[in-house]
Amino acid sequence: NDYSELLFPNNLLIEDSVIRQMVTTIPEEDWKEVEIIGWLYQYYITELYERISGINKGTVSKEDLPFATQLFTPKWIVQYMVQNSLGKMWDDAHGAPFAKDWEYYLWKQGNSSQIPDDVSPEKIKVLDPACGSGHILVYAFDVLYDIYLSQGYSAKDIPALILRNNLFGLDIDRRAVQLASFALVMKAASKDPFFVKQHGAVQVNVYEFVDSVQLSHEVLQIIAHNEEEERELLRLLDEFENAKQFGSLSIVTKIDFDKYLKRITKVKQEDLDLMTRVSFDELKAHVLPLLRQGKMLTDRYHVVITNPPYHNKFNPELKKFINTNYRDYKADLYSAFIYRCIQMTVKNGYAALMTPFTWMFISSHEKLRHFILQNHSISSLIQLEYSGFAEATVPICTFVIQNQRLSTMGTYVRLADFRGPEVQPVKVKEAVQNPSVPYRYYFDSANFASIPGSPISYWASESVQEVFQHATPLGEMGQPRQGLATSDNNRFLRFWYEVDLNTVGFGIEDSEEAQVSGNKWFPYNKGGSYRKWYGNQDYLLNWENNGAEIRAFSRSVIRNPNYYFREGITWSFVSSSRFGVRYTPSGFIFDVGGSSLFPKPDRLFYILGFMCSKLGHEFLKYLNPTLNFQVGNIASLPIMIDENQIDTVTELAQQCIEIS
């Protein structure tokens, strides 16, 4: 109640009855932590998030986007990101004796990095471009407070200096911005009980994105003194037409924002006639927010830290925007945010994020990896175990990228062997306290290119890197291919025991023979559960008259029909853990889930033996340790054929097929 009118003059955030209901579920000691603000926001967002995230098909509307993209960042990951970006920068520049209390600081002796210019307390700028309820900014406040104290600043002056000079936040969700602002004021008040009374209405640099509206010449001319300046403001209106949806990804032309902001302040202090006052109120309501968000998006920051949205169900408007402005990083909103955050840092500055770790490996993010590795360096990275994130089943990593290429050695922590969200921070603390633990690695960013596709496989030894550099890619010995997608399996597929055996074409060698046979059903390979060497031959496909009915179906996708019915090797595209590779005799059509490789006949069983071996799976983990074994990954597997062992390996592989 003491601060509601100050921070939320237009409307209270949540009804009193709801607050009372929530208070009864919160342990009293938790109210001592400003983190409770994030808890309140999570309570508010849960029902909306569950409703939106339950959408399996279609796109997410502009209005639902805030709820579809909100995931709470665990406290320990917030601490890791801030300590290893803002904290590391200060430690490298000036030394940080207070760093001894940082539990997740992956410091390494002799691993200092390049330092941005002018790293002084009042000059440091920290941005969270998707700030949510502000828990990252709140912890950054704590680290900045220690930095100021270490430089001799008076404790009572520090909170106001931090809020005015150092912390900046943006978000598309109004309630999140309100809570972030409130959390920062509460944090300041926790350091100085007289803070609010002393400073009155506190200006916190956290803003909600707002869309522009059309404004008249009379309104704009209040701060536009000539035609050129009016054109600048009109362009700003155009650029922010969809700011509520594009958020920090918005592309803004840099202008002299401070000039216009100062003019608004000056006009505000003048005596205005009634008509001018009406125009000025309109200007203040619709242009002032654009100037603030435009300035924040075009400024550069020492540190950008965020948990960006994870979302790829783009509505048409968002899809067009991403394709136009982030074409190389369009696989997901989070990949566009990685690129954007790095772009917003000063030279030698840091970008720290928490995202899915798919960007580290899969082909749709390859251009993002090349951008990072060719222009920047990975300072540190923690890869969580697949079920290591409590909020959702998302393969998560958190990492810090520095905007420089001179110091490229990074520190990595791999938690793949430690299951469960509770264990993850414990193991990171162990890696901090004991740098020699086997799951902590040091890797030079410049060496990621040694493996095809430049996956971020930091645990690859020198010998593994040499194998990838000198061995033959499997794609040169056979053609890995995706198959067709029926888009209606219930219509076009049957189990083999569901149809008349006389209508099934077995052992067909090519499409021409299939058509001449007059049969309707043909064996169909669609992957299936983990199984090696042979099997999972459960389905038949309606391919009568060269697939006429499927070809006439508008949603089906026919891929690589020239490879249908060939003898080859198949694997299950999706696996919970292991790589299931099997021999496919001639006569099968295949789909994406049963993607296939077609080597020369005299090499087929040797290659099958390699792919079924433990070695094949281990090399595949370096290319892509996610649960999807893509065609491009198979093509990049390194193989060395021993001509003296071809007959032996072939015979052993054939025996395994017979047994299976």
Side-chain angles (χ1 to χ4, degrees):
N1 288 337
D2 291 341
Y3 302 108
S4 61
E5 289 303 314
L6 172 66
L7 289 164
F8 315 126
N10 298 323
N11 66 313
L12 287 175
L13 184 65
I14 307 174
E15 294 178 6
D16 289 345
S17 60
V18 178
I19 291 178
R20 283 196 296 272
Q21 177 187 347
M22 288 190 287
V23 168
T24 60
T25 68
I26 304 168
E28 183 176 350
E29 60 270 17
D30 283 355
W31 283 99
K32 299 175 184 176
E33 297 289 338
V34 180
E35 291 160 5
I36 197 63
I37 300 298
W39 191 95
L40 293 172
Y41 184 66
Q42 199 172 13
Y43 183 98
Y44 155 73
I45 206 79
T46 296
E47 182 178 348
L48 293 165
Y49 173 73
E50 289 176 351
R51 173 173 64 84
I52 301 302
S53 63
I55 299 174
N56 292 321
K57 294 183 178 180
T59 60
V60 175
S61 69
K62 176 179 178 178
E63 293 72 25
D64 287 336
L65 193 59
F67 317 124
T69 58
Q70 289 285 357
L71 281 177
F72 200 70
T73 316
K75 178 179 178 181
W76 76 267
I77 292 182
V78 171
Q79 292 174 311
Y80 157 77
M81 291 193 294
V82 175
Q83 291 168 8
N84 289 275
S85 55
L86 172 62
K88 186 178 190 312
M89 179 184 70
W90 182 262
D91 194 17
D92 287 342
H94 301 284
F98 44 85
K100 65 181 184 301
D101 298 323
W102 294 346
E103 295 179 304
Y104 305 101
Y105 184 30
L106 294 170
W107 177 84
K108 179 176 181 288
Q109 189 170 8
N111 195 29
S112 296
S113 300
Q114 306 299 307
I115 301 168
D117 294 334
D118 201 7
V119 180
S120 58
E122 294 184 46
K123 296 292 185 181
I124 294 172
K125 297 175 71 174
V126 179
L127 170 72
D128 185 342
C131 67
S133 55
H135 42 301
I136 292 175
L137 294 173
V138 166
Y139 183 66
F141 186 110
D142 285 331
V143 174
L144 286 162
Y145 190 86
D146 288 338
I147 288 173
Y148 273 96
L149 278 180
S150 71
Q151 298 300 294
Y153 282 75
S154 170
K156 67 180 181 63
D157 296 332
I158 295 174
L161 288 171
I162 291 175
L163 294 187
R164 182 167 63 245
N165 298 322
N166 303 122
L167 294 178
F168 302 84
L170 291 163
D171 204 278
I172 61 175
D173 186 357
R174 180 167 181 259
R175 292 186 186 273
V177 167
Q178 289 176 322
L179 280 167
S181 301
F182 185 63
L184 286 171
V185 173
M186 291 298 95
K187 173 58 77 171
S190 74
K191 300 293 186 182
D192 176 9
F194 302 102
F195 175 78
V196 175
K197 291 182 180 179
Q198 179 182 351
H199 294 279
V202 180
Q203 178 62 59
V204 180
N205 295 313
V206 180
Y207 298 109
E208 169 202 8
F209 278 104
V210 296
D211 290 340
S212 61
V213 298
Q214 294 299 316
L215 296 173
S216 67
H217 167 73
E218 289 72 24
V219 171
L220 295 178
Q221 71 175 359
I222 294 175
I223 57 171
H225 294 172
N226 53 53
E227 290 184 3
E228 182 181 349
E229 290 185 346
E230 186 169 343
R231 283 196 298 270
E232 281 188 339
L233 294 176
L234 287 171
R235 183 175 61 206
L236 186 68
L237 296 179
D238 289 340
E239 291 171 340
F240 279 132
E241 182 181 1
N242 223 324
K244 198 71 177 170
Q245 179 168 210
F246 302 157
S248 290
L249 296 179
S250 300
I251 304 298
V252 186
T253 304
K254 187 173 180 61
I255 61 176
D256 191 347
F257 292 100
D258 288 329
K259 174 179 68 176
Y260 296 113
L261 289 168
K262 288 176 182 176
R263 288 178 184 174
I264 290 177
T265 302
K266 183 179 179 182
V267 173
K268 184 179 180 181
Q269 297 168 349
E270 297 175 354
D271 291 328
L272 305 175
D273 59 60
L274 180 59
M275 292 301 296
T276 307
R277 171 60 60 186
V278 171
S279 294
F280 177 73
D281 288 344
E282 193 174 355
L283 180 84
K284 192 168 66 171
H286 298 299
V287 177
L288 179 59
L290 304 188
L291 292 170
R292 286 172 170 168
Q293 66 196 35
K295 175 176 170 55
M296 288 179 66
L297 287 179
T298 54
D299 278 351
R300 293 293 174 264
Y301 300 85
H302 293 79
V303 181
V304 179
I305 315 175
T306 196
N307 179 0
Y310 320 153
H311 171 63
N312 57 15
K313 295 178 181 177
F314 302 153
N315 60 55
E317 202 167 27
L318 181 56
K319 183 176 182 179
K320 180 180 178 182
F321 172 79
I322 293 293
N323 282 335
T324 301
N325 298 287
Y326 298 93
R327 175 171 292 276
D328 290 345
Y329 320 107
K330 65 181 180 180
D332 196 287
L333 275 184
Y334 87 77
S335 52
F337 260 89
I338 293 174
Y339 171 79
R340 185 77 171 104
C341 288
I342 298 171
Q343 295 288 82
M344 297 175 82
T345 63
V346 300
K347 182 180 179 182
N348 299 326
Y350 290 87
L353 297 97
M354 166 183 150
T355 72
F357 64 61
T358 46
W359 73 268
M360 298 168 59
F361 306 106
I362 67 176
S363 58
S364 58
H365 294 283
E366 186 172 344
K367 290 183 178 178
L368 174 63
R369 293 195 294 276
H370 287 319
F371 164 74
I372 294 171
L373 300 176
Q374 291 169 8
N375 301 284
H376 312 284
S377 61
I378 299 175
S379 176
S380 65
L381 182 148
I382 300 173
Q383 183 182 346
L384 279 68
E385 189 267 331
Y386 222 93
S387 61
F389 183 48
E391 288 296 304
T393 306
V394 182
I396 288 293
C397 68
T398 179
F399 55 94
V400 178
I401 293 172
Q402 191 179 20
N403 186 6
Q404 57 87 23
R405 277 282 297 158
L406 295 178
S407 302
T408 54
M409 184 63 69
T411 303
Y412 300 81
V413 176
R414 188 167 188 249
L415 303 175
D417 296 330
F418 310 110
R419 187 171 181 80
E422 301 84 5
V423 181
Q424 309 293 293
V426 174
K427 289 299 179 180
V428 176
K429 288 179 185 178
E430 290 179 6
V432 169
Q433 296 163 2
N434 179 13
S436 63
V437 294
Y439 55 92
R440 177 168 172 168
Y441 301 84
Y442 304 98
F443 200 93
D444 191 330
S445 295
N447 292 336
F448 285 123
S450 64
I451 298 178
S454 300
I456 311 303
S457 301
Y458 50 86
W459 65 97
S461 65
E462 289 185 10
S463 60
V464 167
Q465 294 175 57
E466 289 178 5
V467 168
F468 274 103
Q469 288 175 321
H470 299 299
T472 302
L474 199 53
E476 295 183 12
M477 296 195 171
Q479 298 80 39
R481 293 290 185 268
Q482 287 186 342
L484 67 81
T486 71
S487 297
D488 190 345
N489 284 345
N490 289 332
R491 174 178 175 180
F492 296 111
L493 296 189
R494 296 290 183 271
F495 289 109
W496 60 265
Y497 49 78
E498 292 183 301
V499 305
D500 182 350
L501 193 65
N502 294 314
T503 64
V504 181
F506 290 111
I508 300 296
E509 296 289 340
D510 54 41
S511 295
E512 183 178 352
E513 183 183 348
Q515 192 163 359
V516 170
S517 73
N519 289 309
K520 179 176 182 178
W521 301 98
F522 298 87
Y524 188 60
N525 203 335
K526 61 187 280 59
S529 60
Y530 170 76
R531 184 175 173 86
K532 287 207 312 187
W533 299 109
Y534 196 83
N536 288 358
Q537 299 178 4
D538 302 320
Y539 293 93
L540 300 170
L541 173 74
N542 176 2
W543 195 248
E544 187 175 21
N545 194 23
N546 200 31
E549 190 175 343
I550 292 179
R551 292 178 187 274
F553 186 55
S554 61
R555 299 204 309 269
S556 66
V557 181
I558 310 297
R559 301 185 186 91
N560 300 302
N562 293 338
Y563 288 87
Y564 295 175
F565 305 109
R566 290 192 188 184
E567 179 186 39
I569 299 169
T570 189
W571 65 92
S572 299
F573 180 74
V574 179
S575 172
S576 60
S577 59
R578 295 175 290 177
F579 186 35
V581 184
R582 295 172 296 281
Y583 168 67
T584 300
S586 60
F588 281 75
I589 301 173
F590 58 98
D591 75 354
V592 177
S595 297
S596 300
L597 176 74
F598 301 95
K600 293 180 179 179
D602 62 341
R603 293 288 190 270
L604 190 150
F605 294 103
Y606 188 100
I607 291 173
L608 175 68
F610 164 69
M611 293 177 70
C612 282
S613 70
K614 181 178 179 181
L615 191 63
H617 190 197
E618 289 301 313
F619 279 123
L620 190 58
K621 288 179 184 177
Y622 295 110
L623 293 163
N624 184 2
T626 70
L627 302 184
N628 297 323
F629 302 124
Q630 300 177 328
V631 164
N633 304 139
I634 305 305
S636 297
L637 277 172
I639 185 169
M640 295 180 174
I641 291 185
D642 184 345
E643 298 290 342
N644 296 322
Q645 297 294 333
I646 288 180
D647 291 342
T648 302
V649 173
T650 296
E651 182 180 347
L652 290 171
Q654 290 172 337
Q655 289 177 16
C656 290
I657 291 169
E658 291 298 322
I659 294 169
S660 186

